Amino acid sequence: MPTPAAEVHVDVPLVRALLREQHPDLAGLPLAVAAHGWDNVVVRLGDLLAVRLPRRAAAAALIEHEQRWLPGIARRVAPIVPVPDPVRTGVPGAGYPWSWSIVRWLPGHPAGERAGGVHVATALAAFLERLHVPAPADAPHNPVRAVPLAERSAAVLDRLATSDVPRAPELAALWRAAASLPASAGPPVWVHGDLHRSTCSSSPTPTATACRRSSTSAT
């Protein structure tokens, strides 16, 4: 599926203008566009920080979810992995319409670029164990990402049947088996709704990132 078109063009001059308006002590640091994601643009800010800005309206509320909830989640999982939680926040300005964040820059490479080995799998499992705890009653709920697998079966199986996906029959069998399991009957818990090889990074010490949209929601 192709990446949706940007509804707002985010570039270095725009980010520089936002910083000058709202965080002038950081406005002189070097800026470079690091990534254009599905929902957000990440602009590196100096050596230690990055600016994360929605590129379409569907992601605007998700940034606000991150700003509210991600610091607490980051503290919970900190013994296992660092998370680029917001260290400062921004509001609409300089012609830009949405909230935005300044986050920590975490070095590493996308986990899908190379085999990570057992230590990456172990860290990922430990991260999820710490994440999957009961969420507050007012935690955000994602109606697509935070639902029982059976509710997504039609879309997933159609994609596997009509797209050029490697080993699609095996994946479809695994999906059917997983989707047939009983849904959780417990309280809603935090989940990572976009646990993709491009939303986790690894380094000599593996790190999982919140490349988020708000990929963290309650289910």
Side-chain angles (χ1 to χ4, degrees):
M1 181 178 293
T3 302
E7 296 168 14
V8 172
H9 178 65
V10 175
D11 56 15
V12 165
L14 172 62
V15 176
R16 184 80 67 194
L18 288 167
L19 291 171
R20 285 173 177 156
E21 283 186 0
Q22 302 180 36
H23 299 281
D25 58 314
L26 301 177
L29 293 175
L31 289 169
V33 175
H36 288 266
W38 190 273
D39 287 334
N40 299 291
V41 176
V42 176
V43 179
R44 190 162 184 181
L45 174 61
D47 293 330
L48 302 177
L49 300 171
V51 186
R52 181 169 164 77
L53 309 96
R55 59 193 291 275
R56 60 194 193 111
L62 305 183
I63 281 284
E64 295 175 359
H65 291 333
E66 292 177 8
Q67 292 173 350
R68 178 176 180 187
W69 298 103
L70 200 53
I73 292 171
R75 289 191 294 272
R76 185 180 307 121
V77 303
I80 307 300
V81 294
V83 170
D85 51 319
V87 297
R88 299 195 192 183
T89 60
V91 297
Y96 180 77
W98 303 307
S99 297
W100 49 281
S101 298
I102 299 174
V103 302
R104 292 181 295 149
W105 175 265
L106 299 180
H109 57 83
E113 286 186 354
R114 64 192 76 170
V118 172
H119 71 287
V120 172
T122 301
L124 181 59
F127 160 69
L128 293 174
E129 184 176 23
R130 282 185 172 265
L131 176 64
H132 292 168
V133 298
D138 57 342
H141 173 72
N142 189 309
V144 176
R145 298 172 184 272
V147 296
L149 295 183
E151 295 184 21
R152 300 295 299 157
S153 279
V156 170
L157 294 175
D158 180 69
R159 183 75 55 81
L160 291 174
T162 59
S163 302
D164 186 18
V165 178
R167 302 175 67 180
E170 296 169 68
L171 291 173
L174 288 172
W175 179 270
R176 290 189 180 95
S180 69
L181 297 173
S184 172
V189 300
W190 288 113
V191 298
H192 191 305
D194 193 19
L195 199 60
H196 186 273
R197 62 183 183 178
S198 296
T199 62
C200 296
S201 65
S202 60
S203 61
T205 300
T207 63
T209 66
C211 173
R212 316 186 176 222
R213 330 188 167 168
S214 202
S215 54
T216 306
S217 55
T219 183

